[in-house]
PDB file of all heavy atoms in Angstrom:
ATOM      1  N   TYR A 259     -16.914-235.443   4.444  1.00 97.00           N
ATOM      2  CA  TYR A 259     -17.139-234.825   5.759  1.00 97.00           C
ATOM      3  C   TYR A 259     -16.069-234.032   6.182  1.00 97.00           C
ATOM      4  O   TYR A 259     -14.869-234.263   5.672  1.00 97.00           O
ATOM      5  CB  TYR A 259     -17.488-235.988   6.779  1.00 97.00           C
ATOM      6  CG  TYR A 259     -18.677-236.797   6.514  1.00 97.00           C
ATOM      7  CD1 TYR A 259     -18.595-237.752   5.578  1.00 97.00           C
ATOM      8  CD2 TYR A 259     -19.795-236.665   7.266  1.00 97.00           C
ATOM      9  CE1 TYR A 259     -19.723-238.577   5.265  1.00 97.00           C
ATOM     10  CE2 TYR A 259     -20.931-237.476   7.045  1.00 97.00           C
ATOM     11  CZ  TYR A 259     -20.813-238.355   6.094  1.00 97.00           C
ATOM     12  OH  TYR A 259     -21.904-239.193   5.829  1.00 97.00           O
ATOM     13  N   HIS A 260     -16.207-233.112   7.169  1.00 97.00           N
ATOM     14  CA  HIS A 260     -15.162-232.457   7.801  1.00 97.00           C
ATOM     15  C   HIS A 260     -15.233-232.354   9.242  1.00 97.00           C
ATOM     16  O   HIS A 260     -16.349-232.540   9.795  1.00 97.00           O
ATOM     17  CB  HIS A 260     -14.808-231.019   7.259  1.00 97.00           C
ATOM     18  CG  HIS A 260     -15.808-230.072   7.438  1.00 97.00           C
ATOM     19  ND1 HIS A 260     -15.911-228.881   6.835  1.00 97.00           N
ATOM     20  CD2 HIS A 260     -16.946-230.046   8.306  1.00 97.00           C
ATOM     21  CE1 HIS A 260     -16.946-228.112   7.283  1.00 97.00           C
ATOM     22  NE2 HIS A 260     -17.642-228.780   8.072  1.00 97.00           N
ATOM     23  N   GLN A 261     -14.211-232.437   9.967  1.00 97.00           N
ATOM     24  CA  GLN A 261     -14.148-232.398  11.450  1.00 97.00           C
ATOM     25  C   GLN A 261     -13.146-231.208  11.901  1.00 97.00           C
ATOM     26  O   GLN A 261     -11.873-231.533  11.767  1.00 97.00           O
ATOM     27  CB  GLN A 261     -13.857-233.718  12.065  1.00 97.00           C
ATOM     28  CG  GLN A 261     -13.942-233.721  13.560  1.00 97.00           C
ATOM     29  CD  GLN A 261     -13.932-235.154  14.130  1.00 97.00           C
ATOM     30  OE1 GLN A 261     -13.451-236.166  13.399  1.00 97.00           O
ATOM     31  NE2 GLN A 261     -14.304-235.384  15.401  1.00 97.00           N
ATOM     32  N   ALA A 262     -13.595-230.164  12.444  1.00 95.00           N
ATOM     33  CA  ALA A 262     -12.797-229.116  12.993  1.00 95.00           C
ATOM     34  C   ALA A 262     -12.362-229.533  14.390  1.00 95.00           C
ATOM     35  O   ALA A 262     -13.014-230.248  15.031  1.00 95.00           O
ATOM     36  CB  ALA A 262     -13.446-227.763  12.895  1.00 95.00           C
ATOM     37  N   PRO A 263     -11.092-228.936  14.819  1.00 91.00           N
ATOM     38  CA  PRO A 263     -10.698-229.235  16.177  1.00 91.00           C
ATOM     39  C   PRO A 263     -11.837-229.006  17.308  1.00 91.00           C
ATOM     40  O   PRO A 263     -12.494-228.003  17.310  1.00 91.00           O
ATOM     41  CB  PRO A 263      -9.642-228.350  16.311  1.00 91.00           C
ATOM     42  CG  PRO A 263      -9.056-227.938  15.068  1.00 91.00           C
ATOM     43  CD  PRO A 263     -10.289-228.007  14.125  1.00 91.00           C
ATOM     44  N   GLY A 264     -12.114-230.007  18.103  1.00 94.00           N
ATOM     45  CA  GLY A 264     -13.042-229.938  19.120  1.00 94.00           C
ATOM     46  C   GLY A 264     -14.461-229.920  18.743  1.00 94.00           C
ATOM     47  O   GLY A 264     -15.374-229.813  19.574  1.00 94.00           O
ATOM     48  N   LYS A 265     -14.753-230.272  17.501  1.00 96.00           N
ATOM     49  CA  LYS A 265     -16.055-230.298  16.942  1.00 96.00           C
ATOM     50  C   LYS A 265     -16.398-231.830  16.361  1.00 96.00           C
ATOM     51  O   LYS A 265     -15.470-232.528  16.111  1.00 96.00           O
ATOM     52  CB  LYS A 265     -16.348-229.404  15.891  1.00 96.00           C
ATOM     53  CG  LYS A 265     -16.247-227.964  16.464  1.00 96.00           C
ATOM     54  CD  LYS A 265     -16.742-226.904  15.439  1.00 96.00           C
ATOM     55  CE  LYS A 265     -16.609-225.491  15.916  1.00 96.00           C
ATOM     56  NZ  LYS A 265     -17.096-224.464  14.965  1.00 96.00           N
ATOM     57  N   GLN A 266     -17.667-232.022  16.167  1.00 97.00           N
ATOM     58  CA  GLN A 266     -18.056-233.322  15.638  1.00 97.00           C
ATOM     59  C   GLN A 266     -17.850-233.386  14.102  1.00 97.00           C
ATOM     60  O   GLN A 266     -17.868-232.321  13.491  1.00 97.00           O
ATOM     61  CB  GLN A 266     -19.551-233.500  15.957  1.00 97.00           C
ATOM     62  CG  GLN A 266     -19.779-233.888  17.430  1.00 97.00           C
ATOM     63  CD  GLN A 266     -21.354-234.335  17.655  1.00 97.00           C
ATOM     64  OE1 GLN A 266     -22.137-233.955  16.887  1.00 97.00           O
ATOM     65  NE2 GLN A 266     -21.425-235.069  18.671  1.00 97.00           N
ATOM     66  N   ARG A 267     -17.775-234.517  13.651  1.00 96.00           N
ATOM     67  CA  ARG A 267     -17.624-234.632  12.118  1.00 96.00           C
ATOM     68  C   ARG A 267     -19.031-234.345  11.607  1.00 96.00           C
ATOM     69  O   ARG A 267     -20.092-234.758  11.959  1.00 96.00           O
ATOM     70  CB  ARG A 267     -17.336-236.198  11.792  1.00 96.00           C
ATOM     71  CG  ARG A 267     -16.958-236.497  10.410  1.00 96.00           C
ATOM     72  CD  ARG A 267     -16.464-237.820  10.253  1.00 96.00           C
ATOM     73  NE  ARG A 267     -15.291-238.178  11.034  1.00 96.00           N
ATOM     74  CZ  ARG A 267     -14.547-239.249  10.901  1.00 96.00           C
ATOM     75  NH1 ARG A 267     -14.904-240.169  10.004  1.00 96.00           N
ATOM     76  NH2 ARG A 267     -13.551-239.368  11.534  1.00 96.00           N
ATOM     77  N   GLU A 268     -18.945-233.566  10.437  1.00 96.00           N
ATOM     78  CA  GLU A 268     -20.183-233.059   9.822  1.00 96.00           C
ATOM     79  C   GLU A 268     -20.081-233.186   8.323  1.00 96.00           C
ATOM     80  O   GLU A 268     -18.937-233.328   7.736  1.00 96.00           O
ATOM     81  CB  GLU A 268     -20.371-231.486   9.939  1.00 96.00           C
ATOM     82  CG  GLU A 268     -20.470-231.039  11.425  1.00 96.00           C
ATOM     83  CD  GLU A 268     -20.545-229.556  11.534  1.00 96.00           C
ATOM     84  OE1 GLU A 268     -20.019-228.842  10.673  1.00 96.00           O
ATOM     85  OE2 GLU A 268     -21.241-229.046  12.452  1.00 96.00           O
ATOM     86  N   LEU A 269     -21.234-233.524   7.624  1.00 96.00           N
ATOM     87  CA  LEU A 269     -21.359-233.745   6.304  1.00 96.00           C
ATOM     88  C   LEU A 269     -21.081-232.408   5.564  1.00 96.00           C
ATOM     89  O   LEU A 269     -21.595-231.375   5.940  1.00 96.00           O
ATOM     90  CB  LEU A 269     -22.703-234.344   5.897  1.00 96.00           C
ATOM     91  CG  LEU A 269     -22.916-234.428   4.468  1.00 96.00           C
ATOM     92  CD1 LEU A 269     -22.219-235.525   3.871  1.00 96.00           C
ATOM     93  CD2 LEU A 269     -24.504-234.782   4.144  1.00 96.00           C
ATOM     94  N   VAL A 270     -20.327-232.493   4.589  1.00 97.00           N
ATOM     95  CA  VAL A 270     -20.007-231.388   3.695  1.00 97.00           C
ATOM     96  C   VAL A 270     -20.787-231.593   2.371  1.00 97.00           C
ATOM     97  O   VAL A 270     -21.486-230.631   1.800  1.00 97.00           O
ATOM     98  CB  VAL A 270     -18.484-231.220   3.215  1.00 97.00           C
ATOM     99  CG1 VAL A 270     -18.212-230.173   2.360  1.00 97.00           C
ATOM    100  CG2 VAL A 270     -17.747-231.048   4.581  1.00 97.00           C
ATOM    101  N   ALA A 271     -20.609-232.671   1.770  1.00 97.00           N
ATOM    102  CA  ALA A 271     -21.231-232.887   0.329  1.00 97.00           C
ATOM    103  C   ALA A 271     -21.401-234.408   0.141  1.00 97.00           C
ATOM    104  O   ALA A 271     -20.568-235.095   0.625  1.00 97.00           O
ATOM    105  CB  ALA A 271     -20.542-232.245  -0.820  1.00 97.00           C
ATOM    106  N   SER A 272     -22.330-234.777  -0.699  1.00 96.00           N
ATOM    107  CA  SER A 272     -22.462-236.111  -1.025  1.00 96.00           C
ATOM    108  C   SER A 272     -22.941-236.443  -2.458  1.00 96.00           C
ATOM    109  O   SER A 272     -23.553-235.368  -3.101  1.00 96.00           O
ATOM    110  CB  SER A 272     -23.483-237.006  -0.095  1.00 96.00           C
ATOM    111  OG  SER A 272     -24.695-236.435  -0.266  1.00 96.00           O
ATOM    112  N   ILE A 273     -22.655-237.521  -2.971  1.00 95.00           N
ATOM    113  CA  ILE A 273     -23.079-237.746  -4.288  1.00 95.00           C
ATOM    114  C   ILE A 273     -23.481-239.295  -4.404  1.00 95.00           C
ATOM    115  O   ILE A 273     -22.762-240.189  -4.000  1.00 95.00           O
ATOM    116  CB  ILE A 273     -21.991-237.558  -5.371  1.00 95.00           C
ATOM    117  CG1 ILE A 273     -22.381-237.636  -6.758  1.00 95.00           C
ATOM    118  CG2 ILE A 273     -20.711-238.386  -5.074  1.00 95.00           C
ATOM    119  CD1 ILE A 273     -21.546-236.941  -7.828  1.00 95.00           C
ATOM    120  N   ASN A 274     -24.613-239.580  -5.119  1.00 90.00           N
ATOM    121  CA  ASN A 274     -25.196-240.990  -5.080  1.00 90.00           C
ATOM    122  C   ASN A 274     -24.598-241.790  -6.451  1.00 90.00           C
ATOM    123  O   ASN A 274     -23.939-241.072  -7.148  1.00 90.00           O
ATOM    124  CB  ASN A 274     -26.637-241.038  -4.931  1.00 90.00           C
ATOM    125  CG  ASN A 274     -27.454-240.430  -6.012  1.00 90.00           C
ATOM    126  OD1 ASN A 274     -26.930-240.208  -7.124  1.00 90.00           O
ATOM    127  ND2 ASN A 274     -28.835-240.310  -5.851  1.00 90.00           N
ATOM    128  N   SER A 275     -25.140-242.848  -6.585  1.00 83.00           N
ATOM    129  CA  SER A 275     -24.728-243.701  -7.595  1.00 83.00           C
ATOM    130  C   SER A 275     -25.088-243.117  -9.008  1.00 83.00           C
ATOM    131  O   SER A 275     -24.465-243.416 -10.105  1.00 83.00           O
ATOM    132  CB  SER A 275     -25.119-245.150  -7.404  1.00 83.00           C
ATOM    133  OG  SER A 275     -26.573-245.228  -7.246  1.00 83.00           O
ATOM    134  N   GLY A 276     -26.299-242.375  -8.927  1.00 83.00           N
ATOM    135  CA  GLY A 276     -26.773-241.907 -10.058  1.00 83.00           C
ATOM    136  C   GLY A 276     -26.167-240.551 -10.508  1.00 83.00           C
ATOM    137  O   GLY A 276     -26.541-239.876 -11.442  1.00 83.00           O
ATOM    138  N   GLY A 277     -25.253-239.997  -9.597  1.00 83.00           N
ATOM    139  CA  GLY A 277     -24.633-238.669  -9.938  1.00 83.00           C
ATOM    140  C   GLY A 277     -25.345-237.514  -9.174  1.00 83.00           C
ATOM    141  O   GLY A 277     -24.870-236.381  -9.426  1.00 83.00           O
ATOM    142  N   LEU A 278     -26.404-237.774  -8.533  1.00 86.00           N
ATOM    143  CA  LEU A 278     -27.152-236.664  -7.804  1.00 86.00           C
ATOM    144  C   LEU A 278     -26.327-236.205  -6.635  1.00 86.00           C
ATOM    145  O   LEU A 278     -25.990-236.959  -5.601  1.00 86.00           O
ATOM    146  CB  LEU A 278     -28.444-237.124  -7.358  1.00 86.00           C
ATOM    147  CG  LEU A 278     -29.459-236.118  -6.723  1.00 86.00           C
ATOM    148  CD1 LEU A 278     -29.730-234.987  -7.790  1.00 86.00           C
ATOM    149  CD2 LEU A 278     -30.653-236.710  -6.162  1.00 86.00           C
ATOM    150  N   ALA A 279     -25.993-234.948  -6.657  1.00 89.00           N
ATOM    151  CA  ALA A 279     -25.094-234.340  -5.622  1.00 89.00           C
ATOM    152  C   ALA A 279     -25.972-233.508  -4.690  1.00 89.00           C
ATOM    153  O   ALA A 279     -26.872-232.929  -4.896  1.00 89.00           O
ATOM    154  CB  ALA A 279     -24.141-233.522  -6.304  1.00 89.00           C
ATOM    155  N   TYR A 280     -25.331-233.402  -3.450  1.00 90.00           N
ATOM    156  CA  TYR A 280     -26.103-232.601  -2.355  1.00 90.00           C
ATOM    157  C   TYR A 280     -24.840-231.837  -1.669  1.00 90.00           C
ATOM    158  O   TYR A 280     -23.859-232.349  -1.248  1.00 90.00           O
ATOM    159  CB  TYR A 280     -26.765-233.489  -1.303  1.00 90.00           C
ATOM    160  CG  TYR A 280     -27.059-232.880  -0.131  1.00 90.00           C
ATOM    161  CD1 TYR A 280     -28.247-231.882   0.071  1.00 90.00           C
ATOM    162  CD2 TYR A 280     -26.306-232.939   1.059  1.00 90.00           C
ATOM    163  CE1 TYR A 280     -28.496-231.270   1.245  1.00 90.00           C
ATOM    164  CE2 TYR A 280     -26.620-232.294   2.140  1.00 90.00           C
ATOM    165  CZ  TYR A 280     -27.673-231.442   2.347  1.00 90.00           C
ATOM    166  OH  TYR A 280     -27.917-230.648   3.496  1.00 90.00           O
ATOM    167  N   ASP A 281     -25.093-230.515  -1.494  1.00 90.00           N
ATOM    168  CA  ASP A 281     -24.110-229.828  -0.703  1.00 90.00           C
ATOM    169  C   ASP A 281     -24.794-229.144   0.443  1.00 90.00           C
ATOM    170  O   ASP A 281     -25.992-228.782   0.453  1.00 90.00           O
ATOM    171  CB  ASP A 281     -23.622-228.638  -1.535  1.00 90.00           C
ATOM    172  CG  ASP A 281     -23.070-228.948  -2.871  1.00 90.00           C
ATOM    173  OD1 ASP A 281     -22.342-230.010  -2.864  1.00 90.00           O
ATOM    174  OD2 ASP A 281     -23.305-228.305  -3.916  1.00 90.00           O
ATOM    175  N   THR A 282     -24.035-229.035   1.595  1.00 91.00           N
ATOM    176  CA  THR A 282     -24.721-228.314   2.715  1.00 91.00           C
ATOM    177  C   THR A 282     -24.656-226.822   2.545  1.00 91.00           C
ATOM    178  O   THR A 282     -23.878-226.330   1.748  1.00 91.00           O
ATOM    179  CB  THR A 282     -23.859-228.685   3.984  1.00 91.00           C
ATOM    180  OG1 THR A 282     -22.525-228.403   3.909  1.00 91.00           O
ATOM    181  CG2 THR A 282     -23.949-230.140   4.315  1.00 91.00           C
ATOM    182  N   ASP A 283     -25.452-226.126   3.327  1.00 90.00           N
ATOM    183  CA  ASP A 283     -25.579-224.654   3.176  1.00 90.00           C
ATOM    184  C   ASP A 283     -24.245-223.961   3.345  1.00 90.00           C
ATOM    185  O   ASP A 283     -24.007-222.875   2.642  1.00 90.00           O
ATOM    186  CB  ASP A 283     -26.614-224.069   4.039  1.00 90.00           C
ATOM    187  CG  ASP A 283     -28.024-224.527   3.647  1.00 90.00           C
ATOM    188  OD1 ASP A 283     -28.252-224.923   2.558  1.00 90.00           O
ATOM    189  OD2 ASP A 283     -28.938-224.333   4.404  1.00 90.00           O
ATOM    190  N   SER A 284     -23.461-224.402   4.177  1.00 90.00           N
ATOM    191  CA  SER A 284     -22.337-223.724   4.627  1.00 90.00           C
ATOM    192  C   SER A 284     -21.223-223.711   3.381  1.00 90.00           C
ATOM    193  O   SER A 284     -20.339-222.888   3.355  1.00 90.00           O
ATOM    194  CB  SER A 284     -21.622-224.350   5.796  1.00 90.00           C
ATOM    195  OG  SER A 284     -21.206-225.702   5.553  1.00 90.00           O
ATOM    196  N   VAL A 285     -21.424-224.680   2.453  1.00 92.00           N
ATOM    197  CA  VAL A 285     -20.356-224.675   1.355  1.00 92.00           C
ATOM    198  C   VAL A 285     -20.991-224.513  -0.049  1.00 92.00           C
ATOM    199  O   VAL A 285     -20.358-224.451  -1.058  1.00 92.00           O
ATOM    200  CB  VAL A 285     -19.622-226.026   1.364  1.00 92.00           C
ATOM    201  CG1 VAL A 285     -18.924-226.289   2.683  1.00 92.00           C
ATOM    202  CG2 VAL A 285     -20.593-227.227   1.036  1.00 92.00           C
ATOM    203  N   LYS A 286     -22.297-224.232   0.011  1.00 92.00           N
ATOM    204  CA  LYS A 286     -23.026-224.122  -1.365  1.00 92.00           C
ATOM    205  C   LYS A 286     -22.507-223.026  -2.088  1.00 92.00           C
ATOM    206  O   LYS A 286     -22.303-221.897  -1.582  1.00 92.00           O
ATOM    207  CB  LYS A 286     -24.558-224.058  -1.061  1.00 92.00           C
ATOM    208  CG  LYS A 286     -25.395-224.360  -2.206  1.00 92.00           C
ATOM    209  CD  LYS A 286     -26.913-224.271  -1.938  1.00 92.00           C
ATOM    210  CE  LYS A 286     -27.274-225.445  -0.962  1.00 92.00           C
ATOM    211  NZ  LYS A 286     -27.132-226.698  -1.493  1.00 92.00           N
ATOM    212  N   GLY A 287     -22.230-223.218  -3.403  1.00 94.00           N
ATOM    213  CA  GLY A 287     -21.690-222.251  -4.219  1.00 94.00           C
ATOM    214  C   GLY A 287     -20.133-222.167  -4.099  1.00 94.00           C
ATOM    215  O   GLY A 287     -19.581-221.372  -4.998  1.00 94.00           O
ATOM    216  N   ARG A 288     -19.550-222.801  -3.171  1.00 97.00           N
ATOM    217  CA  ARG A 288     -18.123-222.705  -3.027  1.00 97.00           C
ATOM    218  C   ARG A 288     -17.557-224.085  -3.320  1.00 97.00           C
ATOM    219  O   ARG A 288     -16.380-224.134  -3.885  1.00 97.00           O
ATOM    220  CB  ARG A 288     -17.726-222.207  -1.554  1.00 97.00           C
ATOM    221  CG  ARG A 288     -18.177-220.864  -1.378  1.00 97.00           C
ATOM    222  CD  ARG A 288     -17.636-220.373  -0.029  1.00 97.00           C
ATOM    223  NE  ARG A 288     -17.994-221.145   1.190  1.00 97.00           N
ATOM    224  CZ  ARG A 288     -17.040-221.691   1.950  1.00 97.00           C
ATOM    225  NH1 ARG A 288     -15.779-221.607   1.714  1.00 97.00           N
ATOM    226  NH2 ARG A 288     -17.483-222.489   2.912  1.00 97.00           N
ATOM    227  N   PHE A 289     -17.985-225.084  -2.833  1.00 97.00           N
ATOM    228  CA  PHE A 289     -17.536-226.514  -2.902  1.00 97.00           C
ATOM    229  C   PHE A 289     -18.332-227.255  -3.946  1.00 97.00           C
ATOM    230  O   PHE A 289     -19.591-227.174  -4.040  1.00 97.00           O
ATOM    231  CB  PHE A 289     -17.538-227.218  -1.625  1.00 97.00           C
ATOM    232  CG  PHE A 289     -16.600-226.727  -0.632  1.00 97.00           C
ATOM    233  CD1 PHE A 289     -15.931-225.504  -0.645  1.00 97.00           C
ATOM    234  CD2 PHE A 289     -16.465-227.474   0.639  1.00 97.00           C
ATOM    235  CE1 PHE A 289     -15.100-224.968   0.357  1.00 97.00           C
ATOM    236  CE2 PHE A 289     -15.759-227.021   1.621  1.00 97.00           C
ATOM    237  CZ  PHE A 289     -14.916-225.934   1.426  1.00 97.00           C
ATOM    238  N   THR A 290     -17.721-228.199  -4.708  1.00 96.00           N
ATOM    239  CA  THR A 290     -18.355-229.060  -5.647  1.00 96.00           C
ATOM    240  C   THR A 290     -17.906-230.453  -5.527  1.00 96.00           C
ATOM    241  O   THR A 290     -16.663-230.655  -5.644  1.00 96.00           O
ATOM    242  CB  THR A 290     -18.131-228.492  -7.201  1.00 96.00           C
ATOM    243  OG1 THR A 290     -18.612-227.187  -7.184  1.00 96.00           O
ATOM    244  CG2 THR A 290     -18.929-229.427  -8.024  1.00 96.00           C
ATOM    245  N   ILE A 291     -18.810-231.448  -5.333  1.00 96.00           N
ATOM    246  CA  ILE A 291     -18.471-232.923  -5.431  1.00 96.00           C
ATOM    247  C   ILE A 291     -18.575-233.371  -6.733  1.00 96.00           C
ATOM    248  O   ILE A 291     -19.729-233.075  -7.337  1.00 96.00           O
ATOM    249  CB  ILE A 291     -19.222-233.592  -4.285  1.00 96.00           C
ATOM    250  CG1 ILE A 291     -18.698-234.922  -4.051  1.00 96.00           C
ATOM    251  CG2 ILE A 291     -20.711-233.622  -4.615  1.00 96.00           C
ATOM    252  CD1 ILE A 291     -19.283-235.669  -2.885  1.00 96.00           C
ATOM    253  N   ALA A 292     -17.653-234.288  -7.162  1.00 95.00           N
ATOM    254  CA  ALA A 292     -17.828-235.007  -8.395  1.00 95.00           C
ATOM    255  C   ALA A 292     -17.182-236.263  -8.338  1.00 95.00           C
ATOM    256  O   ALA A 292     -16.477-236.670  -7.415  1.00 95.00           O
ATOM    257  CB  ALA A 292     -17.140-234.075  -9.478  1.00 95.00           C
TER     258      ALA A 292
END
């Protein structure tokens, strides 16, 4: 998750126990969770 100054904490990316990853639109193609 990330939290910018003055803003709420927001999900960036997640990965489950099976390795399935999810990225939010704002970071898709730029960030990778592993």
Side-chain angles (χ1 to χ4, degrees):
Y259 295 76
H260 66 193
Q261 186 168 17
K265 296 188 177 181
Q266 290 187 332
R267 190 173 301 187
E268 298 178 332
L269 176 67
V270 174
S272 66
I273 187 164
N274 68 10
S275 57
L278 183 63
Y280 166 80
D281 305 320
T282 59
D283 288 343
S284 63
V285 303
K286 200 172 294 289
R288 298 190 299 124
F289 292 8
T290 303
I291 189 170

